[in-house]
Amino acid sequence: MATYEFLCPRDGVITARLPVGRAPASLTCPECDDPARRLFSLPQVLTGDSRSRRIIAATEASASEPAVVTALPGRHRPPTRRPSADPRTAKLPAP
Ligand SMILES: [Zn+2]
């Protein structure tokens, strides 16, 4: 599904969730039943820096896919380091 925008001359921009590639050239406005023509705009990808994009994506995903929490917020546990099964890793320099 993708969000498409249509412009009604009376009511302004209307958004509709439709299957990708299935948006019609115009849509009947749900408010006034006039035809609303499709608007073309840049997709909301690659805007902002990577940190902003991750925060926005996580916020949007949390609306329908809440994250599983394993600890109380605010309590930070240091990551546990597991020894590697490969003995060659012991010869590598420490970070
Ligand atoms: Zn309208």
Side-chain angles (χ1 to χ4, degrees):
M1 298 292 270
T3 302
Y4 293 95
E5 293 180 329
F6 298 87
L7 180 63
C8 172
R10 289 185 188 180
D11 302 305
V13 176
I14 302 163
T15 58
R17 300 270 302 158
L18 300 165
V20 174
R22 302 285 176 110
S26 67
L27 192 73
T28 301
C29 175
E31 298 293 327
C32 65
D33 290 335
D34 281 353
R37 68 177 172 83
R38 183 175 167 194
L39 294 176
F40 291 91
S41 58
L42 291 174
Q44 296 298 313
V45 295
L46 301 177
T47 57
D49 60 19
S50 62
R51 184 169 184 258
S52 299
R53 289 195 306 264
R54 280 197 309 270
I55 291 171
I56 291 169
T59 303
E60 290 175 350
S62 69
S64 59
E65 305 164 14
V68 176
V69 204
T70 57
L72 293 175
R75 300 181 81 187
H76 183 291
R77 283 186 283 166
T80 55
R81 304 188 91 201
R82 286 187 277 167
S84 174
D86 189 345
R88 293 176 294 178
T89 57
K91 296 178 182 175
L92 294 174

